Amino acid sequence: MARVGASAGWHGNCVESINAAKTITYKDAGKVFMVTHPAAATADEGYTITMPIPSSAGSGFSCKFMVSSSTLGSDADEDVTFTDGTTDSIVFQYIDANSDFTSDIAIDTVYFDHTAYQGDWMEWFTDGTTWYVFAATGVDGGIVIAT
């Protein structure tokens, strides 16, 4: 059965484009979200993607976010912010263009920096208690974390 607002892929996965603020729900499990430049007419500000808290998403929930535009913007305010509104709920690991590996176990917020490249990605998974996020970026600083 297809999900409303999404296109079925070869393996039953769904793809949806995001260019403005969005709240993710448990119904979005398994989707791949293509993140692009902000849709705002002025396009000088980013937007926030709000994840559900892990217990609301449910054990086994996963989804992926991928930058689909050449960059997210030219202005430092055009970042795409990810949060679930709680503190210290994200375990995060990523690698950047310099092969620098970053890991932290108490993250509050994650960002695609406005300099993120097309193809940069984050995969989110929860066991119902904690978010586990794995990511890669083709530019140094393309992904930013805040504790």
Side-chain angles (χ1 to χ4, degrees):
M1 181 165 103
R3 296 185 184 145
V4 175
S7 300
W10 286 105
H11 301 289
N13 55 345
C14 297
V15 177
E16 181 178 324
S17 292
I18 299 177
N19 64 2
K22 179 169 179 68
T23 299
I24 305 299
T25 71
Y26 71 93
K27 295 178 182 179
D28 292 316
K31 283 187 180 179
V32 175
F33 295 96
M34 305 306 289
V35 178
T36 189
H37 190 268
T42 58
D44 61 354
E45 60 185 54
Y47 53 92
T48 299
I49 296 173
T50 305
M51 299 297 292
I53 60 172
S55 60
S56 294
S59 180
F61 177 99
S62 67
C63 65
K64 188 172 190 173
F65 297 89
M66 184 171 291
V67 176
S68 63
S69 53
S70 58
T71 62
L72 289 176
S74 57
D75 188 81
D77 294 330
E78 293 177 305
D79 300 342
V80 177
T81 305
F82 295 82
T83 184
D84 72 353
T86 63
T87 58
D88 300 340
S89 64
I90 303 169
V91 173
F92 192 80
Q93 298 179 346
Y94 78 98
I95 192 162
D96 67 22
N98 292 333
S99 297
D100 292 331
F101 178 76
T102 301
S103 180
D104 200 316
I105 61 169
I107 301 299
D108 301 337
T109 306
V110 180
Y111 304 87
F112 272 132
D113 188 74
H114 71 283
T115 60
Y117 283 166
Q118 187 172 18
D120 289 359
W121 57 270
M122 290 185 210
E123 189 159 357
W124 291 66
F125 172 83
T126 185
D127 60 2
T129 304
T130 303
W131 281 114
Y132 298 90
V133 181
F134 307 96
T137 177
V139 62
D140 187 30
I143 295 174
V144 181
I145 57 176
T147 57

